[in-house]
Amino acid sequence: IGLPVTSWQAGDPVRSLLHLEAYTLEALESMIVGYIKSGFLDYATGDWLKLLAEQVFGVTVPPATYATATVVLTNSASGGLYPIIAGDLTFKNSVTGATYHNTTPTTVTNLSPSSTLSVTVVADVAGSDGSAGAGEIDTLVTARDGVTCTNALAAVGIDEQDEEVTRVSC
């Protein structure tokens, strides 16, 4: 039809501006659609459903929880003394690959053979993905010479409530 298509090359300023405008309008429109759907219990999802449940029906959706556990550090290094601040140590679940961080400051010492110290750790991800069975948190990612770790009890994280349960509660 005689349009000069040669001006629509990659990097062309007009083409780039149209792409930017399209992406911006797409984001705005998806927000508007979510807002409109939030007026209807059957169609609301995500944060819009939580807002509708709380504001209209008085239902508070419980958030996902982070798994916590007590990890026992065993220091077999002679003369090993390691001051630790909160969040300084990273632990790993060798079964699932989930990671955890210590929540309190402490010092790992070796005052007697195979000194032990208990620290509280919290999962880096919320919900069941951060859960660990007993003995599964067994890798110290933040290496300390001669220090090993294990958890005696399971760490359980709970997923956020399913949207269908929220609708039924409403």
Side-chain angles (χ1 to χ4, degrees):
I1 58 177
L3 294 174
V5 294
T6 56
S7 68
W8 293 94
Q9 303 294 326
D12 179 65
V14 174
R15 181 178 177 190
S16 298
L17 286 173
L18 288 174
H19 276 270
L20 177 63
E21 184 178 5
Y23 288 126
T24 304
L25 289 174
E26 177 187 21
L28 179 61
E29 186 162 320
S30 73
M31 186 182 300
I32 291 170
V33 168
Y35 172 72
I36 292 170
K37 287 168 64 174
S38 74
F40 303 95
L41 186 59
D42 290 341
Y43 299 109
T45 58
D47 289 338
W48 290 112
L49 177 60
K50 290 185 229 173
L51 186 63
L52 177 68
E54 187 169 343
Q55 295 295 315
V56 176
F57 298 98
V59 174
T60 302
V61 178
T65 61
Y66 289 85
T68 59
T70 300
V71 173
V72 176
L73 299 172
T74 303
N75 185 3
S76 59
S78 15
L81 174 70
Y82 304 106
I84 299 166
I85 60 173
D88 194 27
L89 294 178
T90 303
F91 301 87
K92 183 177 177 183
N93 179 332
S94 62
V95 175
T96 65
T99 56
Y100 309 81
H101 281 86
N102 63 309
T103 60
T104 54
T106 188
T107 301
V108 178
T109 62
N110 188 10
L111 299 176
S112 62
S114 295
S115 294
T116 61
L117 174 70
S118 296
V119 295
T120 302
V121 299
V122 63
D124 292 335
V125 296
S128 61
D129 289 343
S131 295
E136 290 182 356
I137 303 174
D138 57 1
T139 306
L140 188 57
V141 177
T142 311
R144 299 287 192 260
D145 289 338
V147 179
T148 59
C149 64
T150 189
N151 61 311
L153 300 174
V156 180
I158 300 172
D159 291 328
E160 186 177 88
Q161 179 173 287
D162 186 69
E163 289 185 352
E164 247 344 279
V165 174
T166 301
R167 287 187 184 94
V168 169
S169 297
C170 290

